[in-house]
């Protein structure tokens, strides 16, 4: 598949995006049919945390607070509290509509309501993988945990809901965005938590690892405890889609087991749609709603505990 563009696209690693630049600077040849845009909604490279802008300054401040507060003890307490699933009872689509009121302060690439991001990524995957309906639905719901920002779900601060995730209970890896701010985290100098494996062991499996608390782990808990029939790869994507240190930089692979390694293949596929589908061009919600409602009915109960 060849797409004509007006300028040479931003260079992206081939193993992440399966993109090869043609000799003609106006052509972008795609191996698997997904067109990666040149820039994000603000005209910058995607996930560029260094460019000078008001948006970037806010993102860096977000990570400074996030990296200070996400400790092993904090995450343990939050998982116990939210595993009760006593905040609300509603359908998947009702939750999607709640995200009309949510904008992610940690995202350097988009400042649109989150429901648009969900639909943009789901529709992009649906176009390229028409037979993998579970993957379409996974894309639609992967960020629903961001309702934690709303009053009825505890109105948690942004640093406790969004942003890149990472393990707690072992050493913080340098590849984590703005890792310099971990030096102020109480766990940074704690010998119980600051070694390579910390409280874990090699090959223990990511399900044994506590991740920084946020929307990923919360939505995973909601889906699992409400008896979803999504495959394990879908749950893996929901739980680890913000774990960029792993699926972009290859950090923490020593903690993975065989099932994790198999599911990571699907997360790599999902990730580019999650990241590069972000756009100011909005999806017509009412037009696509019937399709996604049919998938929700297939894979989830009518009402879920949140």
């Amino acid at each position: 598949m060849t797409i004509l563009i007006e300028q040479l696209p931003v260079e992206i690693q081939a193993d992440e995006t399966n993109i090869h630049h043609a000799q003609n600077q106006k052509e972008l040849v795609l191996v698997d049919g997904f067109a990666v845009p040149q820039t994000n909604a603000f005209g910058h490279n995607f996930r560029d945390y260094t460019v000078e802008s008001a948006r970037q300054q806010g993102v860096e401040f977000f990570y400074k607070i996030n990296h200070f507060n996400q400790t092993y003890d904090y995450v343990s307490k939050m998982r116990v509290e939210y595993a009760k699933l006593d905040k609300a009872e509603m359908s998947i689509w009702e939750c999607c509509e709640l995200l009309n009121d949510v904008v992610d302060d940690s995202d350097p690439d988009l400042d649109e309501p989150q429901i648009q991001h969900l639909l943009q990524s789901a529709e992009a995957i649906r176009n390229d993988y028409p037979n993998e309906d579970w993957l379409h639905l996974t894309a639609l719901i992967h960020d629903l945990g961001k309702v934690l920002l709303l009053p009825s779900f505890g109105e948690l601060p942004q640093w406790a809901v969004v942003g890149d995730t990472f393990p707690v209970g072992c050493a913080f890896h340098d590849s984590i965005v703005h890792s310099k701010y971990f030096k102020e985290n109480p766990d940074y100098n704690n010998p119980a938590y600051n070694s390579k494996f910390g409280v874990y062991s090699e090959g223990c499996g990511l399900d044994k690892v506590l991740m920084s608390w946020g929307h990923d782990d919360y939505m995973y808990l909601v889906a699992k405890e409400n008896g979803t029939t999504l495959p394990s790869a879908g749950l893996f994507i929901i739980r680890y889609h913000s774990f960029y240190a792993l699926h972009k930089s290859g950090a923490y692979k020593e903690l993975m087991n065989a099932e994790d390694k198999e599911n990571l293949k699907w997360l790599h596929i999902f990730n580019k749609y999650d990241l590069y589908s972000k756009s100011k061009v909005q999806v017509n919600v009412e037009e696509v709603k019937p399709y996604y409602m049919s998938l929700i009915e297939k894979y989830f109960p009518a009402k879920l505990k949140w």
Side-chain angles (χ1 to χ4, degrees):
M1 177 178 177
T2 300
I3 292 179
L4 296 181
I5 56 175
E6 299 204 350
Q7 295 177 328
L8 184 65
V10 176
E11 188 170 345
I12 307 207
Q13 291 184 4
D15 61 347
E16 281 189 16
T17 61
N18 294 321
I19 290 178
H20 302 287
H21 295 292
Q23 291 181 350
N24 185 332
Q25 292 186 357
K26 290 188 177 182
E27 291 186 350
L28 179 62
V29 180
L30 308 179
V31 173
D32 56 7
F34 181 64
V36 174
Q38 296 171 269
T39 57
N40 64 19
F42 303 102
H44 305 303
N45 293 345
F46 282 88
R47 286 182 60 82
D48 187 342
Y49 292 94
T50 61
V51 65
E52 289 294 329
S53 71
R55 180 74 177 168
Q56 295 295 342
Q57 290 169 11
V59 170
E60 180 165 355
F61 182 70
F62 160 88
Y63 277 108
K64 181 176 182 179
I65 300 173
N66 171 278
H67 291 352
F68 174 78
N69 286 288
Q70 292 278 4
T71 65
Y72 187 85
D73 287 345
Y74 172 76
V75 172
S76 299
K77 292 175 183 177
M78 297 303 283
R79 286 197 104 248
V80 170
E81 170 61 27
Y82 280 90
K84 298 174 185 176
L85 300 180
D86 59 358
K87 307 304 178 188
E89 186 170 333
M90 62 181 172
S91 69
I92 289 287
W93 191 262
E94 287 174 314
C95 189
C96 288
E97 291 180 331
L98 287 179
L99 290 193
N100 276 320
D101 298 325
V102 172
V103 173
D104 185 342
D105 283 350
S106 74
D107 191 343
D109 299 320
L110 192 67
D111 58 359
E112 292 293 314
Q114 286 297 295
I115 191 171
Q116 280 299 317
H117 166 53
L118 299 182
L119 288 170
Q120 287 169 359
S121 58
E123 284 292 281
I125 290 178
R126 180 184 175 189
N127 182 66
D128 288 353
Y129 292 85
N131 298 323
E132 305 291 346
D133 67 354
W134 66 270
L135 193 55
H136 312 165
L137 182 58
T138 298
L140 179 74
I141 69 172
H142 75 281
D143 273 349
L144 291 188
K146 291 180 180 180
V147 293
L148 289 172
L149 295 166
L150 303 177
S152 58
F153 292 84
E155 201 169 12
L156 298 183
Q158 290 252 348
W159 64 260
V161 180
V162 298
D164 286 13
T165 58
F166 46 84
V168 294
C170 60
F172 301 115
H173 198 272
D174 289 343
S175 64
I176 301 170
V177 61
H178 291 307
S179 60
K180 60 187 177 183
Y181 293 119
F182 282 120
K183 292 180 180 179
E184 303 301 321
N185 186 299
D187 291 352
Y188 186 81
N189 294 311
N190 187 331
Y193 302 137
N194 65 5
S195 64
K196 180 177 181 179
F197 291 109
V199 299
Y200 313 114
S201 60
E202 186 171 5
C204 64
L206 293 181
D207 61 326
K208 302 291 195 302
V209 176
L210 280 185
M211 299 294 293
S212 55
W213 177 250
H215 70 279
D216 306 58
D217 216 26
Y218 176 58
M219 188 58 207
Y220 165 78
L221 289 172
V222 170
K224 182 181 178 183
E225 296 305 317
N226 281 281
T228 183
T229 55
L230 283 173
S232 63
L235 291 172
F236 188 90
I237 289 169
I238 292 169
R239 195 175 195 182
Y240 302 113
H241 67 271
S242 300
F243 190 6
Y244 277 87
L246 171 68
H247 58 74
K248 181 179 180 182
S249 303
Y252 300 104
K253 282 189 174 181
E254 61 274 8
L255 297 173
M256 298 171 66
N257 59 24
E259 184 178 9
D260 294 331
K261 293 174 183 177
E262 190 63 30
N263 285 334
L264 183 60
K265 298 174 184 177
W266 282 107
L267 180 53
H268 279 142
I269 290 172
F270 169 83
N271 175 248
K272 64 182 178 182
Y273 295 92
D274 182 23
L275 178 59
Y276 299 118
S277 65
K278 295 172 184 177
S279 169
K280 289 289 188 179
V281 180
Q282 298 197 349
V283 176
N284 186 319
V285 177
E286 292 306 313
E287 186 176 290
V288 301
K289 179 178 177 180
Y291 174 71
Y292 290 103
M293 289 294 289
S294 71
L295 298 188
I296 292 168
E297 184 177 355
K298 178 178 179 179
Y299 289 103
F300 280 93
K303 293 286 185 179
L304 287 74
K305 293 182 178 180
W306 299 77

